[in-house]
Each structure stands twice: as structure tokens, then as C-alpha cells.
Amino acid sequence: MTKAVADRAFEPLFTTKRSSLAVGLGLSQVLAFCEVSGGTAVIISTPGEGTTVQLYLPRFIEQQLPPQVGSPTERPSPGTASRHVLLVEDNHEVAAALQAVLESMGHTATHVASSDDALVFLQSGARYDLVLSDIQMPGKTNGIDLAEWVKQNRPHQTIALMTGYADELDRARRTGVPIFAKPFDSNELVALLA
């Protein structure tokens, strides 16, 4: 890759293909997965020699605690209790990465691929600790429409939006809900799930 291409390779929808049907290199999803997991990704490329994409992920070291005979089973504190998240994301790879991160935090996630589907769940009376929705999705409604519906019809429901597009931020900010710019660090979700 040339330096100009490598500098843009992680951008959503960036492609080097000339076809109007090109949907991007997919590297934005790779970077999003890494950053949501607490790491990052780096491109090292020299034209005519090759390209390397290095993924940096945090190491997990399981802590072994000695068993305590006769001690009562501890219940998680309110800040660490499992939460149920409605994950609204049309990109299945991004959704899978977010779902894996949420589950690694001890939470459960129900994934739907559009805000139209999310509205069906919410209108049926389903309850969630957090609705985490992408903004731009196929269908009649988008994530901002979903946030506006939630604010009007479920004022006690916590909802947050996420987007990779800066042009959506102005309207999204008017909803008054937290907004995550993709890719974002998983630690940003901790406060919403505490």
C-alpha cells in the first residue's frame, strides 16, 4: 500500500476499488474489534514488498483464588451484576465483536439488526438495562429515531448511540443520550452498565 492508502485503510467504507458497489476494505471492523477489546491495530506497508496488519490485544491472565471451605457464595455487587443489553447493529461482524466484549464483562446481549426490529422488541414490553444502537441502518427508522422513541415512550430506559460517521453527530447530540464514536474503547461502556 502507498502511505496515502495505508493512512486511510481503517476508515469505514474506504476502498481502493473503482466499482461503485465496493463496500470498503473491512479493516475498520478489525480496528473496531481491537479497540473495543482494549487494544489497537497497526498497518505496516511498503509498496512492492507487502503489507502487514498487526493486531494488539490485551492478554488475559486468569486469577486463581484458593478455595475457601465453608464460606458462603458471594453475590456480585450491584456495580458488577450482570446486565441485559439490546444490541442494535446491522453489521454482523461488529455486533459479534461487541457481543463478545459484553459477555466477557459478564453481561448478556440480545442482538437485532435494525432499529425497526428493536422497536418491535421494545413495543412488546421487553425490558433491557441498556439499549446500545448504531445510528445508520437499513429500514424505516434509524438509531436516532429509536432514541427519540425511547425518550418519549420509555423515559427510564437507558439508551446509547454509536456511529462511525461524523455527519450524524449533530442530530444525534440533540437526543440527549450518550454517543460513542466508532471505534470506541470498551471501558466507555462500563459506566452505563454499572
Side-chain angles (χ1 to χ4, degrees):
M1 292 182 194
T2 64
K3 180 172 181 351
V5 170
D7 288 346
R8 296 191 61 204
F10 287 121
E11 292 178 17
L13 304 180
F14 173 75
T15 183
T16 56
K17 299 174 187 170
R18 302 204 191 291
S19 166
S20 62
L21 300 175
V23 294
L25 299 175
L27 290 174
S28 63
Q29 297 167 1
V30 172
L31 181 61
F33 171 79
C34 290
E35 290 185 342
V36 164
S37 301
T40 192
V42 175
I43 293 177
I44 302 167
S45 186
T46 305
E49 291 185 23
T51 299
T52 301
V53 179
Q54 295 179 334
L55 309 181
Y56 295 92
L57 299 168
R59 178 180 296 182
F60 175 76
I61 300 173
E62 186 175 358
Q63 217 175 6
Q64 296 292 331
L65 298 175
Q68 296 182 5
V69 180
S71 67
T73 306
E74 289 187 33
R75 299 173 70 151
S77 66
T80 60
S82 177
R83 305 287 187 224
H84 191 184
V85 177
L86 178 61
L87 177 59
V88 189
E89 171 63 65
D90 62 314
N91 184 310
H92 291 285
E93 291 156 355
V94 172
L98 280 168
Q99 200 161 2
V101 167
L102 288 166
E103 289 172 0
S104 74
M105 295 171 147
H107 307 298
T108 58
T110 298
H111 171 235
V112 293
S114 73
S115 53
D116 296 341
D117 293 339
L119 280 170
V120 170
F121 276 63
L122 293 167
Q123 289 169 346
S124 73
R127 299 280 175 197
Y128 302 93
D129 296 296
L130 172 65
V131 176
L132 180 60
S133 178
D134 189 17
I135 291 179
Q136 198 171 77
M137 288 175 284
K140 295 178 188 172
T141 60
N142 62 28
I144 296 172
D145 300 323
L146 177 63
E148 289 170 347
W149 184 92
V150 166
K151 294 279 282 185
Q152 184 174 355
N153 297 284
R154 292 256 190 106
H156 300 294
Q157 172 67 66
T158 303
I159 183 167
L161 298 173
M162 51 188 177
T163 185
Y165 300 96
D167 60 336
E168 297 171 332
L169 291 176
D170 281 340
R171 181 177 171 216
R173 284 187 182 110
R174 285 184 242 139
T175 63
V177 303
I179 304 163
F180 298 109
K182 289 180 180 177
F184 57 89
D185 188 311
S186 60
N187 291 329
E188 296 177 55
L189 286 175
V190 172
L192 286 176
L193 292 165

